[in-house]
Amino acid sequence: MVAVLDCMVFAAAFTAAIWVFAFTLVPALPRITALLRGEVEIAASDPYCVVSDRRVRVRVQSAQRVRPASFREAA
């Protein structure tokens, strides 16, 4: 029973690892093939790509009402 459970855990972990590898490799395949064919120059390409902008933005004020001071003092 333990051996069967061990095999199932290994299969699940292996499947998850293959899925993550494929999920990250498949979007890059066109660029990889273009680089291998020599269609794209490495020096001419962007050195990095900004995926998410991490600059500080002004937060939107919440629409909640401000509680009276008496409630704050009781807390």
Side-chain angles (χ1 to χ4, degrees), residues 9-72:
V9 169
F10 174 76
F14 185 74
T15 304
I18 295 299
W19 184 82
V20 168
F21 182 70
F23 185 72
T24 56
L25 181 66
V26 169
L29 280 177
R31 179 156 172 82
I32 292 170
T33 56
L35 285 171
L36 292 175
R37 288 182 187 162
E39 297 173 357
V40 178
E41 294 182 18
I42 297 173
S45 63
D46 294 333
Y48 58 89
C49 177
V50 177
V51 177
S52 64
D53 192 9
R54 299 204 182 260
R55 286 182 283 181
V56 178
R57 295 187 179 102
V58 178
R59 293 185 178 220
V60 177
Q61 295 293 330
S62 66
Q64 295 176 349
R65 296 183 324 182
V66 178
R67 293 182 179 164
S70 61
F71 286 128
R72 280 189 242 147

